[in-house]
Amino acid sequence: MEDIKTLSLDLETYSDVDLGKCGVYRYAESPNFEILLFGYAINGGEVYVIDLALGEKIPDDILNALTDNNIIKWAFNASFERVCLSYWLKKHYPYKFRSYSIPEDTVGAYLDPSSWRCSMVWSAYMGLPLSLEGVGTVLKLDEQKLKEGKDLIRYFCIPCKPSSVNGGRTRNLPTHDLSKWLLFKNYNIRDIVVEQAVKKRLESYPVPEFVWDEYHLDQEINDRGILLDMGVVKNAIIFDEKSREELTTAMKRLTNLENPNSVQQLKQWLSDHGVETESLDKKNVAALIKTVPEDQRDMLLLRQQLAKSSVKKYQTMHNTICLDGRARGMFFFYGASRSGRWAGRHIQLHNLPQNHIPDLADARSLVKLGDYDAVKLLYEDVPDTLSQLIRTAFIPRPGYKFIVSDFSAIEARILSFLAGEKWRLDVFENDGDIYCASASAMFHVPVEKHGLNSHLRQKGKIAELALGYGGNMGALKALNAVEMGLSEQELKPLVDSWRSSNPNITKLWWDVDRAIKEAVRLRTHTKTHGIRFYYQKGILFIELPSGRKLSYVKPKIEPNRFGGESVTYEGTGVNKKWGRIESYGPKFTENIIQAISRDILAYAMKTLRHCFICGHVHDEIIFECSKDISLKVICDQMGKTPPWIKGLTLRADGFETTFYKKD
């Protein structure tokens, strides 16, 4: 038997829990979960399949390898294999199962991720698709994923509807169709063959070890999960149903429509009352409310309340919660391949509604108590109140507290630092507020965050967020600048004055544009503002200060619609389809700044990994800590500048809380 150094794995599994709706942790926790096929290859060699469903056993040396941290385990989307094998080992070979961390941690049910590697992460690092089928196609591999896979998974891996044809059964077993089962085993083998071919093709571009370390930390955070207050969640779902019924009844009364939720019927009703509208989306409804007569306005206000989709997140919480009351698997490592940032999964912490209710704790306790009438009486708009309370459903476990700490204006700081925009750097150096300083420069009056002209700060913030990456009037409009009180006439002068007061940032955009075009055109190395760009074997690489690289596949220079030239590359576009994407200096600058922000967050998370991180959102970290941990110590540590970007001034601010919220 050869020495095992690496193990490539692929599982086919069954569970009565919906994987898409509930996530892998809840899926594998089900008492009815089982592994059907265990595919593996040792050291990149021949692929074997153990047919567990038909009674075959996994060899001892392979079982031992699963908990041996000296043996590297590879899989495409490895978190699925690792979590499934954690539950399976605990159930079938409890004496072989080993977890990690300390007893006080909540990761004890899972295998140590430190010896696991994920070829999906490798694909993402190289700017390739996040599906095995997609990667195989783009890389034009000889072996491709079998197309029949989806049908076979539907047949063997999920419950089936009982019918007279299938004898009333709720599940298809191998014995029900042995020829399909044989094909399924081939499918299992092929997945490992394709995964190994992907690794072989990418071996000249290894993922740096420090990125694998970030991946392991990400897996640890996903394993740890966040506790949910199910009293709040269950009552919010009940309140939402009750409120929807009331709103629908009120709309029926007002319109006499059979189904006032139907966009078609509502548009017709509005048209019959002299109001024409193309769409009933959020923005259009908000605009119409200001102009239509009272009856239509009342109906649109009801429609607005009914359309609050964010309350669906309570249902997602209900779906994903594990037996110990914690929601897991909410963070998707390298989900945004252009910057390497995390993406959200399931509950989607990255896009939770903000909370502005002044007495948040009171509103929360009324929902927890189940007092619907009091919530309706005191807050009127029930869906909006529930929406604002979503964050508060996350709580620390008994005896612990949350510390929520975030970086202050991190993207603006990095942009100013890279560009060498001195006046802005002075603002940061003196612990000033960049949004106030920007508003002050734009409106020529002093602006203080909680004082003089404080209402202008939001406009300064909008300008900062919209204009830092080459944005124009369209970008200001997209951030609701007009709704916030800026007139159409003000927008162009605002863009001009922002750019003229930030000449070095404007220069940075076009220096980046030139450096990238030169690297692609001449297939060479270029450098500007401390960032390296180079073209190698059909890929444009941007090397960041951390040593991490951003990858752009098959770049070329093509004419653009403005009569100039743009760099285009292959990637996943807004429609989630693979195709050519056009980019230019300011957009590449945005990728670079967001990527550096992400690296700084990852650096802070590594230095604070012993503090039970249970969540993070863009530039914010949520810690579940014992009561004696100091907020100041956490913020000071988080605000430390990484050694690879010396001279950048960072600041982190935070607060302590007994439930998650936006401060």
Side-chain angles (χ1 to χ4, degrees), residues 236-513:
I237 291 169
I238 294 165
F239 282 20
D240 181 48
E241 278 172 19
K242 204 167 179 177
S243 160
R244 291 181 85 79
E245 269 174 42
E246 289 176 2
L247 290 166
T248 305
T249 305
M251 282 174 81
K252 275 183 178 169
R253 214 171 24 243
L254 206 62
T255 61
N256 288 322
L257 291 174
E258 195 182 320
N259 176 14
N261 286 323
S262 154
V263 172
Q264 216 45 52
Q265 287 185 32
L266 260 188
K267 273 162 85 174
Q268 188 56 55
W269 182 85
L270 283 168
S271 178
D272 294 345
H273 288 74
V275 178
E276 298 297 336
T277 180
E278 278 299 298
S279 134
L280 285 174
D281 65 15
K282 209 152 92 182
K283 214 166 181 178
N284 258 17
V285 169
L288 283 170
I289 283 168
K290 294 174 186 168
T291 57
V292 297
E294 195 175 341
D295 270 8
Q296 287 89 301
R297 187 170 68 244
D298 288 348
M299 190 281 297
L300 288 169
L301 285 166
L302 291 168
R303 158 92 192 162
Q304 209 175 34
Q305 287 187 54
L306 203 53
K308 269 273 174 224
S309 61
S310 48
V311 286
K312 289 180 184 158
K313 287 187 186 287
Y314 288 112
Q315 192 57 58
T316 311
M317 289 173 175
H318 193 270
N319 294 342
T320 50
I321 191 169
C322 292
L323 290 171
D324 63 355
R326 297 178 82 87
R328 292 184 167 86
M330 287 184 289
F331 307 98
F332 181 18
F333 187 73
Y334 237 96
S337 57
R338 234 87 77 212
S339 63
R341 276 180 157 181
W342 277 264
R345 269 188 169 162
H346 309 302
I347 301 169
Q348 296 279 3
L349 248 78
H350 289 69
N351 63 3
L352 294 181
Q354 293 205 349
N355 44 262
H356 303 289
I357 301 174
D359 51 349
L360 201 63
D362 294 345
R364 183 184 188 281
S365 18
L366 288 173
V367 173
K368 194 171 163 67
L369 286 168
D371 196 338
Y372 178 80
D373 294 334
V375 170
K376 197 176 168 191
L377 178 73
L378 294 170
Y379 302 98
E380 289 180 9
D381 189 338
V382 176
D384 182 60
T385 307
L386 295 177
S387 171
Q388 294 197 47
L389 288 174
I390 287 171
R391 288 171 191 267
T392 75
F394 295 109
I395 53 169
R397 59 197 144 130
Y400 284 70
K401 66 182 177 186
F402 277 156
I403 284 181
V404 181
S405 181
D406 72 338
F407 289 111
S408 163
I410 188 168
E411 286 189 34
R413 285 170 189 263
I414 297 165
L415 183 61
S416 311
F417 176 77
L418 273 196
E421 202 65 83
K422 179 134 183 18
W423 73 267
R424 298 166 68 90
L425 293 170
D426 291 344
V427 171
F428 295 127
E429 203 59 56
N430 299 318
D431 260 349
D433 183 304
I434 191 64
Y435 303 142
C436 289
S438 218
S440 187
M442 281 185 254
F443 300 108
H444 313 293
V445 290
V447 178
E448 294 164 14
K449 188 170 182 178
H450 298 297
L452 205 60
N453 298 314
S454 61
H455 64 287
L456 293 175
R457 181 180 183 269
Q458 189 65 17
K459 293 178 183 177
K461 185 174 182 176
I462 281 180
E464 282 297 313
L465 297 174
L467 307 179
Y469 304 125
N472 216 311
M473 293 180 293
L476 285 168
K477 285 179 180 172
L479 280 170
N480 299 327
V482 176
E483 286 84 342
M484 295 203 53
L486 287 170
S487 68
E488 290 269 357
Q489 291 71 36
E490 278 180 282
L491 300 185
K492 178 78 170 78
L494 194 60
V495 173
D496 295 341
S497 71
W498 192 92
R499 288 185 182 181
S500 63
S501 61
N502 291 286
N504 292 323
I505 290 176
T506 308
K507 182 176 184 298
L508 168 68
W509 302 335
W510 304 115
D511 286 349
V512 165
D513 194 71

Side-chain angles (χ1 to χ4, degrees), residues 541-610:
F541 290 102
I542 299 179
E543 192 173 315
L544 303 165
S546 65
R548 190 166 67 90
K549 297 183 184 83
L550 303 180
S551 315
Y552 299 85
V553 177
K554 297 180 186 165
K556 53 185 185 192
I557 293 169
E558 298 187 295
N560 62 29
R561 62 188 182 282
F562 304 111
E565 288 181 327
S566 292
V567 174
T568 68
Y569 59 91
E570 286 187 9
T572 306
V574 281
N575 55 2
K576 302 213 170 154
K577 286 200 165 67
W578 187 260
R580 286 209 83 76
I581 295 168
E582 184 185 336
S583 199
Y584 67 125
K587 192 75 193 150
F588 282 116
T589 304
E590 180 177 24
N591 293 171
I592 291 163
I593 301 299
Q594 290 188 343
I596 296 172
S597 304
R598 173 251 180 244
D599 288 348
I600 290 170
L601 179 77
Y603 176 81
M605 279 160 59
K606 280 191 206 178
T607 62
L608 288 160
R609 73 192 304 168
H610 58 287

Side-chain angles (χ1 to χ4, degrees), residues 630-646:
S630 154
L631 169 65
K632 184 181 183 308
V633 168
I634 290 232
C635 291
D636 288 351
Q637 179 58 50
M638 192 167 157
K640 284 203 170 118
T641 303
W644 39 260
I645 192 159
K646 284 191 174 73

